[in-house]
Amino acid sequence: MNPPQRVGILGAGFGGLELATTLSEALGAAIDLALIDKNDAFVFGYSKLDLMFGRERPEAVRLPYRDFAKPGVRFLRETITAIDPFARRVTTDAGVHEADILIVALGADYDLDATPGLAQAGNEFYSVAGAERLAEVLPTFTRGRAIVGVCGAPFKCPPAPSEAALLLHDYLSERGVRDACEISLVMPFGTPVPPSPDTSAALLAAFAERGIEFVAGRRVSSLDPARKVAALDDGAELPYDLFLGVPKHRAPDVVLESGMAEDGYVPVDSRTLETKFPNVYAVGDVATVGVPKAGVFSEGAARVVAASLVAQLKGGEQPAAYDGRGACYVEFGAGRVGRVDVDFLSGPKPTGTFQSPSSDLVAEKQHFGASRRARWFDR
C-alpha cells in the first residue's frame, strides 16, 4: 500500500480552507495534509466593515481554527519563516515540513510604510485590528472631512472602499452629524468597479445622492500629520480630519524571500494555478492570475487545484481550466446589498453583470457566509 501523499497548504483563508475541505472529502486517509497558518481564527473580509461600524463584536465574527476538523487534515498554528519551492520544504517557528505537493495561499500583506504618514496619521480598515481600532475612533468624529483613500493597486475586494464611504454616510446620519461632515473617496480607478459599467454607474449615483465626492484615477501617496493633508499621486492635496485608508498590498515577506515572486506576486498559469516549480501551486491574493484579489476568486481557484490533484492521485480526467468567474456583494447602505457577477478569463476582456440593491440580496449574502461556516467549520 502506497504511503499517503504529503500535501502542504500554506495559509488558511478562503483558498486554503476550500482546498483542504475538498481534498479531505475526496481523498480522506489517502493524503497527509498539513494546513499551516499563524493565526488562530478565520474572519470573512466583509466582517471588517461590520466591526468598524459597530454592527458586530469581534468574538461574533471570529471562526476559530480549532473548529476546523477534517479527515486527513492537520491544522498547524505556526509562523512560516522560509519556503523552498524547489524542495517543497517549509520551515516554521516549530520545525520543518516537507511536501510532495505544495500550495501557497498566504494572501497579501499590508505595507503601511509604503505610504509615508499612514501608520502615524491615518487609520486602515483592511485588517481586523485596524477595523477594531476604528470602531473606537469613529464615535469621536463629529465634524470635518473624512477621506476613504486607496494607497495602491491592486487591493483586496475592489468594492470595499465604496462600501466604506456609503456605510460611513449612514453611520454619520444615524448619529445626526452628517450635515457637519464631508466624505471623499479617492481611488486609482476611473470608475468604482471598472469591469462592470452598470455597477459603477449605480455607485456613482449613490455617491451623488449622498453628497460623497468621488476622486477618480488617483491614489493617496502620503499623509502629513502636522498639516492634516493627504497628498495624491498627481501632487494635489486634500485636507482631512479623519482618514480611512486602504494600504498598499504586497505578497508576504516569506514569499518574496523564497524566489517565487515576480513583480511582487507569484506568477501562475491562469488555467491551472501551477507555478514554474514542479508540484507547487499558488492560489488567491498571493498569485498573479488576472482576477481581483477577493475571497470568492481564491475559492474558485482552490476548487480547480483540488480537482486537478484528485484526478492526479485517483486517476481520471483533469478539470476544465479556471474560468475566473465570481460574484461580489456590494453594500449600498440603507440596508440594501447589490451584486456584481464578473467573468475575467473566458472572454477577450473582463465583463460584469450588475444586480440592483435589494433586501433579497442581503439574505443571499448572509447565506453565502453561513454556507461557508457550515462547510468549513461545521457551524
Side-chain angles (χ1 to χ4, degrees):
M1 187 174 181
N2 293 327
Q5 284 280 315
R6 299 170 302 170
V7 178
I9 300 176
L10 311 184
F14 263 85
L17 289 170
E18 180 61 23
L19 191 52
T21 299
T22 304
L23 290 175
S24 173
E25 289 172 343
L27 299 170
I31 54 168
D32 172 13
L33 195 158
L35 176 62
I36 306 174
D37 198 292
K38 65 182 179 182
N39 298 299
D40 67 344
F42 171 78
V43 176
F44 287 102
Y46 58 75
S47 294
K48 293 165 194 171
L49 290 173
D50 294 329
L51 290 174
M52 173 176 156
F53 290 108
R55 304 195 300 191
E56 290 283 6
R57 300 292 303 155
E59 58 272 15
V61 302
R62 290 166 44 83
L63 294 164
Y65 287 127
R66 65 171 179 268
D67 295 339
F68 183 81
K70 308 291 181 188
V73 178
R74 292 173 291 128
F75 177 79
L76 304 176
R77 187 185 178 193
E78 300 175 11
T79 299
I80 297 164
T81 56
I83 303 169
D84 181 345
F86 293 98
R88 297 184 294 280
R89 182 181 301 117
V90 179
T91 305
T92 75
D93 57 355
V96 177
H97 307 278
E98 299 195 359
D100 302 305
I101 298 163
L102 186 66
I103 303 102
V104 180
L106 285 168
D109 281 354
Y110 305 131
D111 188 356
L112 271 66
D113 293 338
T115 306
L118 177 59
Q120 300 78 30
N123 304 276
E124 58 82 17
F125 61 95
Y126 259 51
S127 71
V128 172
E132 289 179 354
R133 281 193 296 270
L134 270 164
E136 298 177 1
V137 171
L138 284 174
T140 69
F141 180 65
T142 56
R143 63 174 52 252
R145 174 187 265 170
I147 296 177
V148 179
V150 178
C151 300
F155 57 92
K156 298 179 190 179
C157 193
S162 300
E163 295 178 300
L166 291 167
L167 293 174
L168 180 61
H169 166 86
D170 281 3
Y171 176 83
L172 296 174
S173 298
E174 287 163 9
R175 289 177 49 221
V177 298
R178 178 65 179 94
D179 289 345
C181 302
E182 299 173 60
I183 301 173
S184 298
L185 170 60
V186 180
M187 191 180 286
F189 306 146
T191 58
V193 183
S196 175
D198 289 344
T199 307
S200 292
L203 284 168
L204 290 171
F207 298 157
E209 183 183 331
R210 293 160 175 79
I212 296 170
E213 178 190 22
F214 181 62
V215 182
R218 294 288 175 263
R219 66 173 177 83
V220 175
S221 58
S222 66
L223 300 179
D224 184 335
R227 296 168 53 225
K228 297 205 86 169
V229 297
L232 308 188
D233 56 352
D234 64 350
E237 292 186 339
L238 290 177
Y240 69 88
D241 298 283
L242 174 68
F243 186 84
L244 310 178
V246 179
K248 185 178 179 183
H249 293 22
R250 60 174 172 77
D253 286 336
V254 71
V255 174
L256 299 178
E257 293 160 3
S258 73
M260 299 181 70
E262 295 176 15
D263 298 323
Y265 293 96
V266 180
V268 296
D269 183 323
S270 61
R271 300 164 301 168
T272 64
L273 292 310
E274 293 173 292
T275 70
K276 64 184 179 183
F277 303 94
N279 287 323
V280 179
Y281 300 78
V283 299
D285 297 347
V286 76
T288 301
V289 188
V291 301
K293 295 190 181 301
V296 67
F297 295 100
S298 304
E299 187 182 87
R303 290 187 186 125
V304 171
V305 174
S308 176
L309 296 181
V310 170
Q312 182 180 319
L313 298 176
K314 291 180 73 172
E317 289 187 16
Q318 284 293 316
Y322 176 48
D323 58 15
R325 292 179 181 168
C328 290
Y329 296 99
V330 186
E331 291 254 13
F332 273 76
R336 298 178 309 141
V337 169
R339 196 182 84 202
V340 55
D341 300 306
V342 282
D343 180 343
F344 276 85
L345 299 179
S346 66
K349 65 176 184 177
T351 58
T353 304
F354 179 57
Q355 289 203 31
S356 297
S358 69
S359 55
D360 287 345
L361 286 174
V362 173
E364 186 178 296
K365 180 183 175 182
Q366 290 171 343
H367 174 73
F368 173 88
S371 63
R372 273 104 186 132
R373 280 194 297 273
R375 175 166 169 73
W376 297 334
F377 294 94
D378 298 318
R379 287 193 173 193

